[in-house]
Amino acid sequence: LRQMVFLSVHPERLDLALQSVCENLKFIDGIVVLTKPEASEAITAVAARHFPQAVILTDDAVAGAGLPADHQARNTWLRKRLYAQPAIEANFLAADEDSLALRPLDRAYYQSGAAHSGYYFQEDMATWLAGSPAPTRFDRGLRNTWRALSEAAYPTRAYASHMPQIVNKSLVNEVFDRFVTSRYAPAYDEWSLYFQLYPQHFRAKA
């Protein structure tokens, strides 16, 4: 585990995130960033300040045109296509651009031997109360994920705790190929979907 993979369109947010990585996740020595074509130049400049060998990919090159309009569905589809790219290593940390590492951590926080630690924030997605007065796109994605997992008799913990999570490239591609069959698939919470299907490989931690 030495690579971190971001989705980012705001250079200033990515800059703060990468500063925190350099300060507190010192085992990370390479990054991949997926961004929009129009933000590519600014994102490249920010990434190179912290990681000179950063790999910058764009939505159109990775996922083509016609991305889903729903934000949650778009992110799920982009991650599916991104994680299959040759630049992605066998194990990596997946993160959003506003994920900050607030204290020093070593590799063992995420990986101990062959076992990976997945960090969840709720035992059962069925108890998620959602937004008010109307559900958000995230709420709907969480509900879709709960429905798909419960129908298949899998656990339904919620792992979208807005922190980097360790991901295995082979396993995540199997999960996405099973559930995210096209850009028109339901919007899912990709972290909660990923950690449930192969429990023998993970340590679930609150």
Side-chain angles (χ1 to χ4, degrees):
L1 178 62
R2 61 181 190 178
Q3 184 185 67
M4 203 158 180
V5 178
F6 291 89
L7 266 61
S8 178
V9 295
H10 298 98
E12 68 283 358
R13 295 181 189 176
L14 182 65
D15 189 38
L16 290 174
L18 295 182
Q19 287 181 50
S20 76
V21 171
C22 292
E23 291 173 5
N24 292 322
L25 303 179
K26 294 187 181 298
F27 59 92
I28 295 296
D29 63 14
I31 62 168
V32 176
V33 185
L34 180 67
T35 189
K36 294 180 178 179
E38 58 269 28
S40 178
E41 184 175 349
I43 291 292
T44 298
V46 166
R49 286 205 297 268
H50 304 283
F51 293 90
Q53 303 303 316
V55 176
I56 311 301
L57 303 173
T58 57
D59 295 355
D60 56 342
V62 166
L67 293 174
D70 179 271
H71 175 76
Q72 189 73 26
R74 181 169 65 252
N75 277 1
T76 303
W77 180 247
L78 286 173
R79 290 187 191 277
K80 171 188 168 73
R81 299 305 298 264
L82 173 61
Y83 295 167
Q85 297 297 308
I88 305 299
E89 295 185 355
N91 295 303
F92 58 94
L93 287 186
D96 293 315
E97 64 182 358
D98 52 357
S99 295
L100 299 178
L102 299 179
R103 61 185 175 90
L105 297 173
D106 59 22
R107 188 178 283 108
Y109 186 79
Y110 296 100
Q111 183 179 25
S112 179
H116 292 179
S117 296
Y119 292 88
Y120 68 95
F121 71 93
Q122 191 156 344
E123 185 65 37
D124 185 0
M125 284 183 280
T127 63
W128 180 250
L129 296 178
S132 177
T136 66
R137 292 171 178 176
F138 172 78
D139 296 330
R140 290 192 290 271
L142 212 62
R143 291 291 187 182
N144 289 339
T145 309
W146 168 78
R147 189 176 300 110
L149 291 170
S150 59
E151 288 176 354
Y154 286 110
T156 56
R157 291 189 178 106
Y159 284 86
S161 52
H162 207 70
M163 60 176 283
Q165 297 270 24
I166 187 171
V167 175
N168 175 270
K169 182 176 183 176
S170 177
L171 292 184
V172 77
N173 284 322
E174 285 188 33
V175 171
F176 281 164
D177 285 347
R178 177 173 175 181
F179 285 91
V180 189
T181 53
S182 78
R183 69 186 68 222
Y184 307 109
Y188 292 116
D189 167 38
E190 57 270 11
W191 275 278
S192 299
L193 192 65
Y194 168 68
F195 280 108
Q196 322 282 358
L197 269 65
Y198 298 95
Q200 68 273 23
H201 294 295
F202 304 121
R203 293 191 182 97
K205 296 186 177 183

